[in-house]
Amino acid sequence: MKIIAIGRNYAEHAKELNNPVPTVPVIFMKPDTALLKDNKPFYHPEFSQDVHHEIELVLKVCKEGKHISEKFAGNYFDEIGIGIDFTARDIQNKHKEKGLPWELAKSFDGSAPISTFIPKADFEDLYNIDFKLDINGETRQIGNTKDLIFSFERIIAFVSQYITLKKGDLIFTGTPEGVSKVNVGDHLEGYLRGNKLLDFDVK
């Protein structure tokens, strides 16, 4: 499986990092070794002094497809969860200054905690899904899919023009505003529609 992630897919998050709001999806990828399951602790890497949390909705791809039409793209995912795209912001900023890829800042081991998944059919409206992240009992990020710049269908259609999607692939769909540094000892709780699905510590 592969992890495909969408950057800058909420306008206010793009603005908080002084990035332009994109006109086409911004894509990056994480290896399968980035996955962190079952609410296991996240071990803060020694190579970064500024790891940021970015909570996101995650789509699970349910069948293979390429060159997918946007109007049929909804048939290619059947479950939704939440995840965190941990980002070594200090490393990312250095690479952006030099026009280099972000991979070291995004793809390190454990940088993609994910929750259990919920069937898509359980959601009445895919574009009114609330999610949030609390750290040490304080809400840090609140998101709703009505604020997505690029819809789930647009993302799938776009990505599939370049990369064949396969069953089991995960798509991180972007983070809302409110990203900030995590520290050793922090306790993170992620909620999807009010249900706590992420619950782990930073060590």
Side-chain angles (χ1 to χ4, degrees):
M1 55 77 64
K2 53 188 175 286
I3 304 168
I4 299 163
I6 312 300
R8 307 173 189 173
N9 202 20
Y10 288 81
E12 294 305 314
H13 171 62
K15 292 175 185 175
E16 76 176 344
L17 296 185
N18 297 313
N19 292 321
V21 176
T23 56
V24 295
V26 176
I27 307 297
F28 60 94
M29 299 183 73
K30 290 175 177 267
D32 59 1
T33 48
L35 277 184
L36 189 61
K37 298 180 179 180
D38 303 322
N39 284 315
K40 291 179 180 175
F42 169 71
Y43 287 90
H44 196 294
E46 294 181 354
F47 52 74
S48 174
Q49 303 305 311
D50 194 23
V51 173
H52 282 205
H53 58 79
E54 300 188 5
I55 193 165
E56 316 199 3
L57 288 190
V58 182
L59 311 181
K60 184 180 285 188
V61 175
C62 60
K63 63 179 179 177
E64 183 171 326
K66 58 182 178 178
H67 301 293
I68 299 165
S69 166
E70 191 169 336
K71 71 177 181 178
F72 297 120
N75 297 328
Y76 286 81
F77 72 99
D78 62 356
E79 293 181 288
I80 299 173
I82 50 175
I84 293 177
D85 166 24
F86 277 125
T87 303
R89 194 73 70 202
D90 45 1
I91 293 175
Q92 185 186 41
N93 288 339
K94 287 178 184 176
H95 284 219
K96 284 167 66 176
E97 287 169 5
K98 298 177 181 179
L100 298 172
W102 305 345
E103 302 316 294
L104 285 180
K106 291 283 193 179
S107 301
F108 54 90
D109 289 354
S111 63
I114 58 165
S115 72
T116 54
F117 284 81
I118 296 171
K120 182 175 73 172
D122 287 359
F123 295 86
E124 290 182 13
D125 182 356
L126 294 182
Y127 295 103
N128 188 24
I129 300 174
D130 290 309
F131 60 104
K132 71 167 185 167
L133 175 68
D134 289 355
I135 299 183
N136 303 326
E138 176 187 343
T139 299
R140 296 286 185 86
Q141 287 185 273
I142 298 175
N144 187 289
T145 52
K146 64 181 171 52
D147 297 319
L148 284 166
I149 297 172
F150 304 109
S151 69
F152 300 151
E153 293 82 6
R154 173 82 174 102
I155 291 167
I156 288 170
F158 180 84
V159 170
S160 73
Q161 305 310 305
Y162 301 86
I163 302 166
T164 298
L165 295 175
K166 293 191 172 183
K167 185 176 181 179
D169 287 350
L170 302 178
I171 302 176
F172 279 63
T173 59
T175 196
E177 65 181 313
V179 302
S180 63
K181 181 180 179 180
V182 296
N183 298 291
V184 173
D186 283 346
H187 183 67
L188 278 64
E189 296 169 297
Y191 294 82
L192 178 58
R193 300 187 305 175
N195 298 311
K196 182 162 64 175
L197 299 183
L198 287 174
D199 187 4
F200 66 93
D201 295 311
V202 179
K203 293 190 174 181

